[in-house]
Amino acid sequence: MAFSVSIPGQLGLIDEPYSGVAGLLAAPLVSAITVAQITGERYQSLLNGTSFTNLTGLVTAKGPSGLWLRSTTPDDNERTSESVYVFGAAFAHNITRGQIITIDGNVTEYRSSTAYLYLTEVTTPRNVRIVSSGNAVEPVVLSKRTSGLIGRRDVSPPTELYSSLDTNNDIFAYPNNVSRVSAENPRLNPGRFGMDFWESLSGELVTIQGVTALGRPANTFGDQWVYGDWKVTGENSRGGLSVVDKDSNPETLIVGTPLDGTRNVNTTKLGDTLETIVGVVQYDFGFYSILPLTGTKIKDAKQPELPPPSNIKPNGKCDGITVGSYNAENFAAGNTRVPRIVEHIVAYMNSPSIVFLQEIQDNNGETNNGNVDANATLLELTTALSARSLVPWDFVDVDPVNNQDGGAPGGNIRNAYIYRSDQLRLYKPNPGGPLDANAVLPGPSLRYNPGRITMPQVFNSSRKPLVAEWETVDGKGHFFTVNVHFTSKGGSSSLAGDPRPPVNGGIDGRIAQGEVTGAFIAEILKQDKNAAIIAAGDFNEFSGVEPLKRFVEVSGLRDLDVVANIKDVERYSYTFGGSQQELDHAYVSPKPARSVRNKDFEHVHVNTWVSGGNEVSDHDPALAKLNVCRN
Ligand SMILES: *[C@@H]1O[C@H](CO)[C@@H](O)[C@H](O)[C@H]1NC(C)=O
Ligand SMILES: *[C@@H]1O[C@H](CO)[C@@H](O)[C@H](O)[C@H]1NC(C)=O
Ligand SMILES: *[C@@H]1O[C@H](CO)[C@@H](O)[C@H](O)[C@H]1NC(C)=O
Ligand SMILES: *[C@@H]1O[C@H](CO)[C@@H](O)[C@H](O)[C@H]1NC(C)=O
Ligand SMILES: *[C@@H]1O[C@H](CO)[C@@H](O)[C@H](O)[C@H]1NC(C)=O
Ligand SMILES: *[C@@H]1O[C@H](CO)[C@@H](O)[C@H](O)[C@H]1NC(C)=O
Ligand SMILES: *[C@@H]1O[C@H](CO)[C@@H](O)[C@H](O)[C@H]1NC(C)=O
Ligand SMILES: *[C@@H]1O[C@H](CO)[C@@H](O)[C@H](O)[C@H]1NC(C)=O
């Protein structure tokens, strides 16, 4: 990538932009090779493994293990980066920012994991010659308002697509992992693909203004996903960026460890703004990053921290029950989060008629002693709920076989229902055991109520969907529930990683689980097309990706986000990798879907919005209002 650069000071070139003509600096800087020749038009340098002499550049930044060198003879090719990382702590030790130096060295491609991209760098720098010192160092301003780059109107990243290698421009295309950047080494198209854009800036010192935080810090080092004052798509009302169809937000990048040894602020939350960041763009641990010269600071903290309580309330009749769903994140008896989860359910979700819970652990949590019973966990929760809400709560679940359903060893997470016994009861209860495969009997009714959908291979090391049949206490309403927690995305590769499309961990498992669960639901609808069925929970997948496409096709259910006309950017329940995303969904059968009105479904953002320590779970709960009257 080309840019205009002015180097005041000893060369006497104050405010004279370079035009890309090497001859400008002819006398002192005989240049055998340029930075752009090293970085090239592709991800990996065609000069990898070779040595060079007489590379000249301006030192724009120094880090603990090397420095960054910017070309003094930039080209006007937007594919080539004009800066490069020079690895070598001892070499960098005596060199200062603002010096123009000439070096010899080798071109190397480096990565610490085969899941990552290679970084093109200069290694074994030698024969350093100081050309001049004290030159001004101007960062390239990345902004929709600047025009500092030759041949480019603005300096803003593409907002939707990641890589030309993603099948049909779909980063979640199935099958995934069908090609690798390192093998194809595509020519960069920085105007169209986000990864190509950042790669074309690799090693460049940049300024990011109008910085918005995309969530809490990604780790304890204070690494932080952000975007700057450039064009974005998928922006939600909180200021974050949601994953929507064919748009996974390549315009974001992560702020890494500050180069001066200070720390980034670690109290950020979604939508906070940060002070202007100056730093180096560099691919680091699987992501395009900006390594700031010094630690970040919050400019404006978003207020209020919590969303308003939902407007969705049960009306106590069969035409207005409310259904919540909440992944409570490894929740066990004695958990200090009990009062806060109760507050979410009572004050923010208005004491729903029923809540589908996921990740309920057994009574002794992650103590791996063979116990699988969760009655103390659920009793503690419902007792606290009853005390706080002044309405009676009850619970039901089916214990798993010890350590067979995945999650933290010994925790025995399972799906469970908590419900208001003043509004609902199980219809003809007949609980199944962990190995009793539920089935649809003539009626339609259930072989076990409640009972789990089990199938050895499909749900191996994963939660079994918990199916139940309910009626309202006045007998006028009747419905089926399917509480799911599909297999996780563990093992996924970074969206900006080497495999293309990225590895979507567990996808084959989720496809099979979606098909089996969908077929169970279809069996109920085959017998009674007017049956009221609600399937909800943590599907660990996004709408429109293969597992959920198949689930919807096979089950015949409808997506409540669509039925209730929820704006696509507000469909999120989780933050990961710089985006808000929807892992948690709710689906209903056609009859109740017909009476759902706009906004009768809501993702209640009590967890995605708040700062570190104030979240009760890593997922937001969701809430829907439904008509389950028999007639
Ligand atoms: C490199 O620079 C030196 C002077 O510093 C010069 O003698 C030499 O010819 C140059 N080499 C090339 C390949 O340009
Ligand atoms: C770079 O070159 C070295 C030395 O020739 C070679 O071992 C390595 O495989 C190359 N790396 C890539 C990514 O081509
Ligand atoms: C630098 O590259 C040259 C040419 O490939 C090679 O002979 C030499 O061993 C390399 N030096 C180092 C230190 O890697
Ligand atoms: C740095 O400079 C000092 C003083 O000029 C010198 O003694 C030392 O060897 C230099 N270190 C390196 C790594 O070049
Ligand atoms: C991705 O594909 C490569 C073969 O190209 C294979 O070696 C690797 O195991 C695959 N990774 C995953 C996680 O499936
Ligand atoms: C946050 O930063 C402060 C100050 O640098 C530090 O004391 C604290 O341990 C950090 N907290 C976390 C969770 O990293
Ligand atoms: C849990 O159930 C067991 C029997 O399965 C019973 O002995 C125990 O008292 C129950 N615990 C609570 C807290 O209800
Ligand atoms: C189930 O998964 C475990 C590991 O989690 C594995 O050892 C076992 O072979 C799997 N069983 C089946 C039937 O796939």
Side-chain angles (χ1 to χ4, degrees):
M1 176 172 297
F3 57 91
S4 66
V5 56
S6 56
I7 305 176
Q10 301 188 352
L11 293 172
L13 291 172
I14 297 165
D15 290 329
E16 282 279 335
Y18 280 88
S19 61
V21 182
L24 251 178
L25 295 169
L29 297 176
V30 177
S31 195
I33 192 168
T34 64
V35 171
Q37 283 167 344
I38 290 174
T39 58
E41 294 194 329
R42 296 170 187 273
Y43 280 85
Q44 288 139 233
S45 176
L46 301 179
L47 299 178
N48 169 50
T50 65
S51 61
F52 61 82
T53 55
N54 295 9
L55 174 72
T56 298
L58 169 71
V59 178
T60 54
K62 285 180 63 175
S65 309
L67 54 76
W68 286 268
L69 212 51
R70 177 190 281 166
S71 181
T72 47
T73 54
D75 65 19
D76 60 1
N77 181 350
E78 65 178 27
R79 292 185 170 88
T80 57
S81 180
E82 299 304 326
S83 287
V84 69
Y85 182 53
V86 181
F87 176 74
F91 159 79
H93 186 258
N94 280 355
I95 295 171
T96 54
R97 188 166 184 248
Q99 284 183 328
I100 291 177
I101 60 175
T102 299
I103 57 171
D104 305 337
N106 278 26
V107 181
T108 299
E109 294 293 339
Y110 170 78
R111 64 178 177 181
S112 58
S113 158
T114 56
Y116 299 165
L117 301 178
Y118 283 101
L119 174 72
T120 302
E121 61 183 12
V122 169
T123 52
T124 56
R126 48 197 182 261
N127 303 332
V128 60
R129 284 141 280 163
I130 311 279
V131 177
S132 63
S133 299
N135 303 289
V137 177
E138 300 289 345
V140 173
V141 180
L142 298 188
S143 166
K144 62 186 167 202
R145 278 187 279 277
T146 49
S147 54
L149 300 203
I150 295 164
R152 296 183 80 146
R153 195 169 42 79
D154 62 14
V155 193
S156 296
T159 64
E160 293 177 13
L161 306 180
Y162 273 69
S163 164
S164 59
L165 299 181
D166 293 340
T167 321
N168 299 326
N169 286 327
D170 182 359
I171 198 166
F172 297 116
Y174 180 81
N176 54 57
N177 188 25
V178 298
S179 65
R180 302 184 84 88
V181 174
S182 58
E184 307 292 328
N185 200 16
R187 193 165 180 246
L188 303 182
N189 185 347
R192 184 157 159 76
F193 298 106
M195 285 168 61
D196 294 15
F197 174 86
W198 296 116
E199 182 70 21
S200 76
L201 280 171
S202 180
E204 193 54 78
L205 181 74
V206 303
T207 295
I208 304 181
Q209 301 162 337
V211 186
T212 303
L214 284 157
R216 294 180 284 271
N219 54 34
T220 52
F221 306 111
D223 290 3
Q224 172 73 58
W225 286 94
V226 299
Y227 63 89
D229 80 337
W230 48 73
K231 182 182 170 227
V232 295
T233 54
E235 186 172 0
N236 55 53
S237 68
R238 190 63 173 175
L241 302 183
S242 300
V243 170
V244 296
D245 191 33
K246 303 273 171 73
D247 178 357
S248 290
N249 305 317
E251 69 269 42
T252 64
L253 75 175
I254 190 166
V255 185
T257 308
L259 294 174
D260 66 352
T262 58
R263 297 176 69 110
N264 287 326
V265 62
N266 61 13
T267 56
T268 44
K269 62 181 189 303
L270 178 62
D272 287 354
T273 57
L274 302 181
E275 299 288 356
T276 294
I277 298 173
V278 178
V280 174
V281 173
Q282 181 118 306
Y283 189 82
D284 215 17
F285 300 107
F287 306 109
Y288 285 100
S289 310
I290 177 168
L291 306 176
L293 298 183
T294 192
T296 54
K297 292 188 176 56
I298 291 183
K299 188 174 181 195
D300 277 312
K302 196 92 172 172
Q303 295 297 340
E305 190 168 351
L306 278 160
S310 175
N311 289 319
I312 298 173
K313 296 183 174 138
N315 68 7
K317 296 188 291 187
C318 64
D319 67 354
I321 70 155
T322 65
V323 179
S325 180
Y326 201 163
N327 180 329
E329 196 184 8
N330 292 322
F331 189 81
N335 199 293
T336 54
R337 291 176 285 153
V338 170
R340 291 188 292 150
I341 214 167
V342 164
E343 200 59 19
H344 285 173
I345 292 171
V346 176
Y348 289 86
M349 299 168 73
N350 306 311
S351 296
S353 313
I354 182 169
V355 180
F356 297 37
L357 295 173
Q358 298 90 41
E359 293 199 17
I360 296 300
Q361 293 188 333
D362 63 36
N363 295 339
N364 55 17
E366 283 154 45
T367 304
N368 196 355
N369 67 348
N371 172 63
V372 294
D373 211 330
N375 58 353
T377 299
L378 290 162
L379 186 65
E380 184 179 339
L381 181 59
T382 49
T383 302
L385 276 169
S386 301
R388 171 69 176 82
S389 64
L390 307 177
V391 296
W393 287 83
D394 207 342
F395 65 85
V396 63
D397 71 333
V398 174
D399 295 333
V401 177
N402 188 43
N403 285 340
Q404 291 303 300
D405 284 8
N412 288 309
I413 53 170
R414 86 287 312 271
N415 307 336
Y417 296 104
I418 53 175
Y419 61 99
R420 286 178 53 173
S421 51
D422 61 333
Q423 296 193 356
L424 302 179
R425 62 175 168 247
L426 279 173
Y427 180 77
K428 297 186 181 166
N430 173 32
L435 298 174
D436 295 328
N438 214 347
V440 181
L441 302 180
S445 70
L446 299 176
R447 175 173 291 157
Y448 299 105
N449 188 23
R452 311 198 306 170
I453 302 177
T454 72
M455 196 169 277
Q457 284 79 11
V458 173
F459 293 99
N460 188 25
S461 274
S462 182
R463 283 61 53 185
K464 283 68 177 167
L466 183 63
V467 188
E469 186 177 356
W470 306 85
E471 62 180 348
T472 52
V473 291
D474 61 9
K476 292 179 180 166
H478 173 269
F479 60 101
F480 296 90
T481 57
V482 183
N483 184 348
V484 313
H485 184 187
F486 285 169
T487 206
S488 87
K489 280 181 177 286
S492 293
S493 59
S494 156
L495 294 190
D498 196 20
R500 308 312 306 173
V503 175
N504 185 349
I507 189 171
D508 290 317
R510 286 190 297 282
I511 290 174
Q513 293 176 352
E515 286 180 341
V516 168
T517 308
F520 190 100
I521 291 164
E523 188 62 35
I524 301 175
L525 286 174
K526 199 169 108 189
Q527 291 192 40
D528 177 7
K529 69 179 171 41
N530 288 325
I533 308 170
I534 306 127
D538 180 357
F539 288 76
N540 264 317
E541 193 53 273
F542 312 132
S543 300
V545 181
E546 201 65 15
L548 292 189
K549 278 205 300 216
R550 302 244 193 121
F551 172 75
V552 167
E553 272 165 29
V554 173
S555 68
L557 298 187
R558 302 199 52 204
D559 185 344
L560 262 176
D561 282 301
V562 176
V563 176
N565 276 312
I566 306 305
K567 271 197 195 162
D568 58 356
V569 293
E570 307 305 337
R571 298 176 187 176
Y572 64 88
S573 60
Y574 197 78
T575 293
F576 186 77
S579 289
Q580 277 63 60
Q581 41 186 245
E582 190 186 21
L583 297 176
D584 305 85
H585 305 262
Y587 298 88
V588 288
S589 54
K591 187 182 175 207
R594 284 195 284 277
S595 51
V596 168
R597 293 162 313 167
N598 284 353
K599 309 270 167 62
D600 272 355
F601 181 56
E602 184 180 342
H603 297 277
V604 188
H605 301 305
V606 285
N607 293 319
T608 47
W609 286 14
V610 301
S611 51
N614 289 344
E615 77 277 29
V616 171
S617 164
D618 48 354
H619 292 248
D620 283 331
L623 185 62
K625 187 168 191 174
L626 296 171
N627 178 341
V628 295
C629 298
R630 287 176 190 273
N631 298 305

